[in-house]
C-alpha cells in the first residue's frame, strides 16, 4: 500500500507540473507551428531560395492557404540576400591550427500588405552556430558543415514564421 500511495503522489505531482507548464504558455520547440494561421499569403524570393523553400515547406504542413500571385495576396513576404559566412572561432595555442568555426546565416525579409504598405522592410535575420574542427576527419567536417547550414535554414524559417504570425495577427 505504501508503494501505491507513493506512485499516486508521484502521478499527481507530475500532473500538477504538466498543468503548471502549460498554464504559463510553455511549448516544446517546434510545437507552435500547428497554431499558425496565415492565409492568403504570397512568399517571394530574391536570392534566398533555400530559406524560401523551407518557409513554404513548414507553412504547407499546417492549414495555411497560399496566394497564387503577389497581386491576389493579402500579404507578400519577400525573403532576400541569403548568405552563409564562416569564420574562425578558436585556434590551438600549440599548433596554430583552427579548432573551432562559426557559421552564420544572414537573410533579409520584407512584409507588405495588399495595399502596398510595408509592415517590415529589410529586416535582418541572423542565426549562428559553431562547430569543432578536427583536421584528421576533414571529409566528415564538410558533411557536418552542410548539416549545420541546413539546421540554420530551419531555424531562420522558424524565425520568419513566428515573426509573420505576430505581425499579421497584430495588423488585422
Amino acid at each position: 500500500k505504501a508503494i501505491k500511495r507513493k506512485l499516486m503522489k508521484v502521478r499527481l505531482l507530475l500532473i500538477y507540473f504538466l498543468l503548471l507548464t502549460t498554464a504559463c504558455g510553455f511549448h516544446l520547440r517546434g510545437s507552435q507551428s500547428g497554431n499558425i494561421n496565415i492565409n492568403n499569403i504570397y512568399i517571394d524570393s530574391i536570392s534566398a531560395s533555400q530559406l524560401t523553400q523551407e518557409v513554404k515547406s513548414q507553412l504547407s504542413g499546417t492549414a495555411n492557404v497560399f496566394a497564387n500571385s503577389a497581386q491576389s495576396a493579402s500579404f507578400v513576404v519577400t525573403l532576400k540576400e541569403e548568405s552563409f559566412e564562416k569564420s574562425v572561432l578558436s585556434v590551438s595555442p600549440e599548433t596554430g591550427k583552427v579548432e573551432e568555426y562559426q557559421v552564420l546565416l544572414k537573410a533579409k525579409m520584407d512584409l507588405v500588405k495588399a495595399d502596398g504598405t510595408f509592415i517590415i522592410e529589410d529586416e535582418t535575420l541572423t542565426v549562428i552556430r559553431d562547430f569543432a574542427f578536427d583536421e584528421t576527419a576533414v571529409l566528415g567536417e564538410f558533411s557536418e558543415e552542410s548539416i549545420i547550414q541546413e539546421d540554420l535554414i530551419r531555424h531562420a524559417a522558424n524565425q520568419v514564421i513566428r515573426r509573420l504570425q505576430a505581425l499579421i495577427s497584430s495588423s488585422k
Side-chain angles (χ1 to χ4, degrees):
K1 276 192 160 184
I3 294 174
K4 286 185 178 180
R5 278 191 221 147
K6 283 186 178 183
L7 281 173
M8 184 61 115
K9 286 181 182 179
V10 169
R11 286 180 184 159
L12 288 173
L13 191 60
L14 181 61
I15 291 170
Y16 172 75
F17 282 119
L18 287 172
L19 290 173
L20 185 65
T21 57
T22 57
C24 74
F26 173 80
H27 295 286
L28 291 173
R29 181 167 46 173
S31 67
Q32 74 275 11
S33 63
N35 301 333
I36 296 170
N37 187 13
I38 304 172
N39 287 315
N40 201 25
I41 189 166
Y42 183 77
I43 301 175
D44 194 12
S45 174
I46 301 172
S47 68
S49 60
Q50 291 179 328
L51 181 57
T52 302
Q53 183 178 358
E54 183 63 29
V55 169
K56 285 180 179 180
S57 173
Q58 288 184 21
L59 284 175
S60 66
T62 59
N64 298 296
V65 178
F66 293 105
N68 294 328
S69 67
Q71 293 76 22
S72 65
S74 299
F75 297 94
V76 176
V77 178
T78 305
L79 300 170
K80 54 190 178 180
E81 299 177 29
E82 170 187 298
S83 66
F84 289 98
E85 297 174 17
K86 182 177 167 183
S87 58
V88 175
L89 201 56
S90 66
V91 177
S92 169
E94 292 89 27
T95 63
K97 295 185 179 181
V98 175
E99 288 185 336
E100 206 172 5
Y101 281 105
Q102 180 178 60
V103 180
L104 170 81
L105 167 65
K106 280 187 177 180
K108 290 188 179 182
M109 74 179 275
D110 296 336
L111 177 61
V112 182
K113 284 185 176 181
D115 64 3
T117 309
F118 275 91
I119 298 172
I120 298 176
E121 188 172 9
D122 284 335
E123 180 171 307
T124 302
L125 304 163
T126 306
V127 186
I128 302 171
R129 290 283 182 279
D130 50 292
F131 69 99
F133 182 76
D134 182 7
E135 67 182 39
T136 61
V138 175
L139 291 177
E141 297 301 328
F142 289 119
S143 174
E144 182 180 2
E145 186 177 345
S146 70
I147 291 169
I148 288 172
Q149 287 181 352
E150 291 170 9
D151 189 48
L152 291 173
I153 290 287
R154 273 191 299 279
H155 284 282
N158 285 334
Q159 280 185 13
V160 168
I161 292 169
R162 284 193 307 271
R163 190 81 172 115
L164 289 176
Q165 185 179 18
L167 289 167
I168 290 174
S169 64
S170 69
S171 69
K172 286 185 177 179

